Amino acid sequence: MFREKLSAVKENPIAALYPTTKGWIVILYCICVTALSTVKVNGYALYLIPLFLMIPVLFAVSGIWEKFFGFFKSIFIFVAFIFIVQTLLIRSDAVLFRFGFLSIYEDGLQHAIFLCFIILNIAGILLWLFQTTETKEMTYALEKMGMSYKASFVFLSTFQMIEVLGKSSKTIMNAQRARGIETEGNIIVRCKAFFPMIVPLVVSSIMNTEERVLTLECRGFDTKCPKTRLLELKKSGNEAKAIVISVIVTAAVLIGRILLWVL
Amino acid sequence: MIEKKKHSIKEDFSTLALLTMPIAVAVNFVGSQIHHALSLPLFLDTIGTFFVSMLCGPWVGALTGLIGSLVNGITNPSGIPFALTSISVGLVAGFLARAKMFDTWWKIVISIALTSLVSTIVSAPIAVLVYGGVTSSTDSLFAATLMASGVNIWKAVIGTSLLFTCIDRIIAIVVTRLIIKVIPARNLIKYSLGNNYVKNSTSKTA
Amino acid sequence: MGTVVEFKNVTYTYPLSEKPAIKNMSFKIEEGKFYGVIGENGSGKTTLCSLVRGFAPDFYKGTLEGEVLVDGKPTTEYGPGELALKFGYVFQNPFNQISGVKDTVFEEVAFGLENFGFDPDEIEQRVTDVMELTDITAIALKNPFELSGGQQQRVALASTIVLKPDILVIDEPTSQLDPEGTESVFKIISEMKNEHKTILLVEHKVDLLAEYADEILVLKDSELIKAGPKQEILSDISLLKKNVQLPQMSILGNELRKLGLPIKNIPITEDQAVDIVKSHLAKGGKS
């Protein structure tokens, strides 16, 4: 049976959760982020920091610890930049530190922590969802929720197309180099190499599209009937447990938040 | 006989359009990789969206923008709110294409101005409200510099965004026009707006 | 045997083009026969295939005069997708026939059946059988994009055959393949012939057509200049003057005949040529 070999067997019980379940976890997590972002300690949204530490923990227990730093590198750079700019640019009366001409103001630091940890938390939980769920699993789950099969077709073929175009662009670059067009060097040289590459690449892809349309027509893509899906997404059995735990945690956070208001 | 062409969304989303969208997203992707690799202040990530909007109209263009942002978001979700900007680029370019606003140079100038303006109107609030005005992209450096020298945050963000988006759009539209010029007419006419770019197409469809 | 496809005075012109790609063509395709289509590049072979399947004028637009009938009904009157189970269509470029949404050859072959809503168990069975037939079982779990051209074309054939079409239209399937790939593709096509499918094959390699086809259609400058049983067409030496390629054996037979050898029937395949040589040797031995 080939069908059984199609979906990768996930050993890890958390990574193996059903995509929709993971989607709910993401939504509940975002609710927690929003609730905790309103709790200020001396004006700082400090609770977001321990909450963010949950993300590497979640990566570790989902068995994708080794992916954490690889993918977070670009997010960290993005956030670090925002952090620096916010702390340095937002001015107020209270100066915390002063290094020569640079001053860090209280308002700036407060806003920087608030903003950066919201971004880190939400980006982190989304990254967890994307890294534990294959694209075809995700589109399958969305299709079950009523998304058109054509939408999932476009989505899936986009990933393949990026790979294919990436490969062809390298081929064209090599061909250009062989013909003496410079593809390396300073920014202007590389920019100049970009345009003669992108034009033929798109044109040839578009010309190929015609046969691809007809091939799809032959394979019944346009035929109006219910579509079969060979990929079977099995529930791991822990879905109910995971949802209950997440709901309890979220409820606890919300109750805590409300109590802080009331008290 | 002048036949008034009605645009149906169903016709816009032909199988041909569905197969063209992934190509457009991939072109956006290649462009944005160059932007990152070279740390250019230009994003170069709307060429594909312009291309698809000019051939298939606003709705296909908007969806292409959305999918592109989601695909980028899978490896770095922190930029997902800017999906709204990508969607607006597709929409505006598509409506302009329907109005044949890409055929003469003065119309193209208006189109460049309009698309840049709309992108800025959509992206500036996102930049200010979600990211505090500055992101890690190179054009943000300019905004940050302006802000540091005391310029109001909104003015700084809108000013730099408008400048760089304009240059970005000029490149996108020039490249897209170039691509469409090279594509054979027999391929073009199969797109819902393709006839706009074929010379004498009306005289020969006897 | 019934007629499955009929051309009645068909003239077809692509949009934006002044000259018709097919001129005044009339012929019938009969059930269960294998038709080979030959002719120079640009003589209208691919357009002929598109017309048979109804891609022209439905997808390519343009103007059609006359009628193309499938089972007695004009192709223009069939709804979208209606002909998909009747015809299988294999294109020249194997790369363009990959759906682009499947990670494995198995799923790629199953794609059509999924679209028609077949039962998963039946899909598994059919795909397994077809992969066996087309010799791609060993690569069932590979990514279709990472295959060689010959393998990709076999996957394209499998994806087509798995839908069990009555008629197979195959447009130069081997033009981009090496000899090994060509041979494997022809093996599959001849297998289809044994299953009594109606086959329309455009192919430059006339030697292979001489071996496998029943009937030959000869196109030149958008017109059908000759049609009939392969023995008759491929041994017609006068076609050489019209730039039509003929099997090497026909040319050899003709040259030998010119040299004075009493060859009654020009051979078109190696086997026939061998038979002729054998019989001559036998006669020569006696005299």
Side-chain angles (χ1 to χ4, degrees), chain B residues 115-178:
Chain B
T115 51
S116 311
L117 201 64
V118 173
S119 307
T120 306
I121 290 171
V122 176
S123 67
I126 298 173
V128 172
L129 300 175
V130 182
Y131 302 103
V134 179
T135 59
S136 66
S137 61
T138 320
D139 70 325
S140 280
L141 272 178
F142 293 88
T145 320
L146 284 175
M147 280 157 73
S149 60
V151 176
N152 168 285
I153 178 170
W154 286 93
K155 278 184 190 158
V157 172
I158 292 176
T160 44
S161 167
L162 210 52
L163 173 67
F164 288 111
T165 326
C166 255
I167 305 173
D168 201 44
R169 296 297 177 268
I170 293 172
I171 296 174
I173 291 174
V174 168
V175 174
T176 309
R177 291 278 318 175
L178 206 66

Side-chain angles (χ1 to χ4, degrees), chain A residues 1-6 134 136 149 152-154 156-158 160-161 163-164 167 207-232, chain C residues 53 55 59-60 81 84 89 91 93 95-104 106-108 110-118 120-121 123-124 128 131 137 140-141 143 145 156 159-160 163:
Chain A
M1 292 281 276
F2 285 105
R3 243 185 301 163
E4 287 159 4
K5 296 176 191 156
L6 298 182
E134 279 179 54
K136 62 178 176 182
Y149 70 95
S152 55
F153 176 89
V154 172
L156 287 174
S157 71
T158 297
Q160 295 253 22
M161 189 51 77
E163 219 169 286
V164 170
K167 268 185 204 158
M207 288 169 70
N208 284 339
T209 309
E210 248 173 41
E211 267 187 16
R212 300 188 56 215
V213 171
L214 297 176
T215 300
L216 285 183
E217 146 92 22
C218 289
R219 311 252 169 102
F221 185 70
D222 278 324
T223 308
K224 284 184 183 64
C225 66
K227 312 285 171 192
T228 314
R229 285 291 168 257
L230 282 184
L231 183 74
E232 271 181 73
Chain C
R53 172 60 176 79
F55 291 151
F59 175 76
Y60 287 107
Y89 202 113
F91 296 89
N93 186 338
F95 179 77
N96 292 343
Q97 297 174 75
I98 299 173
S99 70
V101 290
K102 300 294 183 189
D103 306 333
T104 63
F106 174 80
E107 289 167 282
E108 178 69 28
F111 179 64
L113 295 168
E114 280 190 312
N115 283 330
F116 284 108
F118 281 89
D121 290 326
I123 296 182
E124 173 93 37
T128 312
M131 289 199 306
T137 311
L141 294 174
N143 188 322
F145 277 113
S159 310
T160 304
L163 295 168

Side-chain angles (χ1 to χ4, degrees), chain A residues 83-97:
Chain A
F83 193 90
I84 294 167
V85 171
Q86 294 301 314
T87 42
L88 294 179
L89 284 186
I90 298 182
R91 293 162 189 205
S92 61
D93 301 331
V95 177
L96 289 177
F97 310 102

